[in-house]
Amino acid sequence: MSDNFEALQNQWKKNKKQVEHDSDAMSKMLASIKAKRNWSKRFHYGNIVVLSLVVVLISSFFYFVAPVQKILSQIGVALMVGGLLLRIGIEFFSVEKLKQIQFDDTVLKNTTDTLSFYAFRKQIHGPITIGIIALYTIGFFFITLEFTLYFSTIAMILIYVSYVIGAIVPVFFVRKNIIKEIRILKEITQLKDHISIA
Amino acid sequence: MSKKNQQLFETVYQQCYPMVLQMCLGFVKGNSDLANDLSQEVFINIWNALDKFKGKSTPKTWVYRITVNTCLQYLRKEKNKTKLPIEKVEQVLIDESKEIDHQQNQNLYRAIGQLEELDRLLIMMVLEEQDYDTIAEVLGITPTNVRVKIHRIKKRLKKILDHE
């Protein structure tokens, strides 16, 4: 066993010496670090920006274009916007939780924190997101009751159908994310066991 | 970033870049594109953690922690995109023309690549001649636990090498 391993170790050392000769990699590395850091920040806050734009759009629509009169419709708008605001709050919390995963912690601690983060994400993509979609749908339904006063039946059917089609997309993504996160959770749990069990 | 941190980063980079790149290469089974990408991730994480470096552990142990944690996280992300084929063994090293070296490197990364993810990183720290206490400090487990794991990995590695 030791002969094989020594041969492997010698090869390892030999490789390392060859790597050391790369001289101008430092400046390239610094440039790419800066580029990647900026991209990473944009990625983390991307969801929040998109959701905030939707809130602004919906609020502006019901304030300037189609201000609803009935209390039930106003509750509907509040449910729709409230659900989105809740989601934005959760996204902020999620980004903060992600920042708590420290790469200079021990591997066991890092894995435990990552496990906790993904368990939290699973909750978000599961019951919380489904709850928010339900709130949004109820809010939409409340508003459409007032719309029936102004739109024809065919137009109303079109509005409902387009909402159902529009709702399929987020439901599909939620399902996809849940499956992905369950797999990741399983992997991290296995990794944690692998680290801690002798 | 302060001048002090910039200097610390440069020192860490000069001293640890070959080690980081080689561990990344071993981890991604010799795929040079992925290894370069991964080593960049490692140095981004080093850069981000510089403010917190208080010198409680040696800079090298600290870099090992970041490298191992980054590799384990990276593969999780990468798994969503593509599987890493063991056959695709490339070289990032300068002297690519030497066919014998290339073949030996292929064997090295192919053998390491057949181990489980964490085991790959553990055995590479052993190849880096790190003692059990240092590895235990990186992992956050006892040196005895490390010793047991390394013994098992070496046995598995021997089986792999014997079958080649």
Side-chain angles (χ1 to χ4, degrees):
Chain A
M1 183 154 86
S2 62
D3 280 356
N4 267 341
F5 195 75
E6 269 172 32
L8 215 60
Q9 199 147 33
N10 289 335
Q11 186 61 30
W12 185 264
K13 283 179 192 166
K14 207 171 157 189
N15 274 8
K16 205 170 157 189
K17 274 180 191 157
Q18 287 173 304
V19 175
E20 275 167 339
H21 293 145
D22 199 352
S23 57
D24 102 296
M26 169 90 178
S27 53
K28 281 185 199 163
M29 177 66 78
L30 277 170
S32 70
I33 282 174
K34 279 170 190 164
K36 278 202 172 186
R37 265 168 66 97
N38 290 336
W39 183 87
S40 173
K41 271 183 195 164
R42 280 201 294 270
F43 177 78
H44 281 144
Y45 292 102
N47 267 352
I48 294 168
V49 171
V50 170
L51 287 168
S52 304
L53 282 174
V54 175
V55 167
V56 171
L57 220 73
I58 290 176
S59 307
S60 308
F61 177 79
F62 286 113
Y63 191 79
F64 298 111
V65 183
V68 284
Q69 306 297 319
K70 293 189 181 296
I71 292 199
L72 197 62
S73 305
Q74 286 164 355
I75 292 172
V77 174
L79 284 177
M80 286 174 84
V81 174
L84 284 170
L85 287 175
L86 183 66
R87 188 74 172 86
I88 292 170
I90 290 168
E91 279 301 321
F92 266 114
F93 186 68
S94 183
V95 170
E96 287 309 308
K97 211 167 163 57
L98 182 64
K99 283 183 191 164
Q100 281 166 17
I101 300 173
Q102 302 295 331
F103 282 88
D104 57 346
D105 274 333
T106 65
V107 179
L108 186 61
K109 169 91 170 54
N110 180 278
T111 309
T112 307
D113 290 345
T114 309
L115 198 61
S116 149
F117 173 75
Y118 277 102
F120 170 72
R121 290 300 295 181
K122 195 184 142 200
Q123 285 295 311
I124 291 178
H125 284 134
I128 293 174
T129 301
I130 290 165
I132 289 169
I133 292 174
L135 271 183
Y136 196 86
T137 306
I138 293 167
F140 177 79
F141 179 72
F142 282 177
I143 295 165
T144 52
L145 292 179
E146 190 176 330
F147 281 6
T148 53
L149 299 175
Y150 315 110
F151 292 105
S152 67
T153 312
I154 292 173
M156 283 313 295
I157 290 170
L158 280 174
I159 289 172
Y160 282 124
V161 169
S162 63
Y163 181 81
V164 171
I165 292 169
I168 289 170
V169 179
V171 167
F172 171 78
F173 279 112
V174 166
R175 201 183 115 77
K176 206 177 146 196
N177 277 326
I178 290 173
I179 292 168
K180 190 181 99 186
E181 261 141 30
I182 287 172
R183 179 184 61 74
I184 292 174
L185 260 176
K186 214 172 143 189
E187 275 178 20
I188 305 170
T189 309
Q190 281 170 351
L191 176 66
K192 197 184 165 196
D193 290 346
H194 191 49
I195 296 166
S196 46
I197 298 167
Chain B
M1 176 177 273
S2 69
K3 210 168 184 178
K4 193 183 149 204
N5 276 355
Q6 175 105 24
Q7 276 174 347
L8 181 60
F9 180 81
E10 282 177 21
T11 311
V12 166
Y13 182 87
Q14 300 291 356
Q15 285 177 1
C16 301
Y17 177 72
M19 177 274 282
V20 170
L21 181 63
Q22 210 178 0
M23 279 190 72
C24 293
L25 269 168
F27 190 68
V28 296
K29 303 168 184 176
N31 184 317
S32 60
D33 291 340
L34 282 183
N36 281 323
D37 217 22
L38 183 51
S39 56
Q40 274 181 18
E41 289 273 339
V42 171
F43 281 102
I44 288 172
N45 290 330
I46 288 173
W47 182 291
N48 289 338
L50 277 175
D51 281 333
K52 289 185 284 127
F53 180 67
K54 299 281 183 276
K56 280 180 190 167
S57 53
T58 65
K60 211 157 190 184
T61 308
W62 184 72
V63 172
Y64 274 120
R65 273 185 188 169
I66 296 176
T67 307
V68 174
N69 284 325
T70 309
C71 285
L72 293 171
Q73 297 269 358
Y74 184 85
L75 202 64
R76 208 162 293 130
K77 281 191 272 175
E78 206 54 37
K79 265 184 186 168
N80 292 322
K81 299 179 201 162
T82 177
K83 280 252 171 199
L84 296 175
I86 287 179
E87 295 78 24
K88 195 192 176 192
V89 179
E90 292 171 8
Q91 264 304 334
V92 74
L93 309 176
I94 293 162
D95 199 358
E96 283 179 326
S97 59
K98 288 182 182 171
E99 189 56 38
I100 301 166
D101 258 7
H102 183 69
Q103 189 56 44
Q104 282 171 338
N105 290 334
Q106 277 191 328
N107 294 342
L108 173 71
Y109 295 131
R110 191 183 297 125
I112 294 171
Q114 286 180 59
L115 295 169
E116 282 185 48
E117 292 156 17
L118 182 70
D119 295 351
R120 266 179 245 165
L121 293 158
L122 274 172
I123 205 67
M124 285 190 284
M125 280 193 273
V126 178
L127 290 170
E128 282 284 322
E129 297 178 318
Q130 296 304 309
D131 56 36
Y132 293 151
D133 287 344
T134 307
I135 299 173
E137 215 184 309
V138 171
L139 259 65
I141 56 174
T142 63
T144 318
N145 194 342
V146 171
R147 195 185 305 269
V148 174
K149 281 183 195 299
I150 301 286
H151 180 70
R152 237 178 259 154
I153 300 166
K154 277 187 174 177
K155 268 169 87 176
R156 215 168 299 145
L157 197 59
K158 184 188 179 321
K159 263 189 194 170
I160 294 166
L161 292 168
D162 286 347
H163 280 94
E164 284 194 345

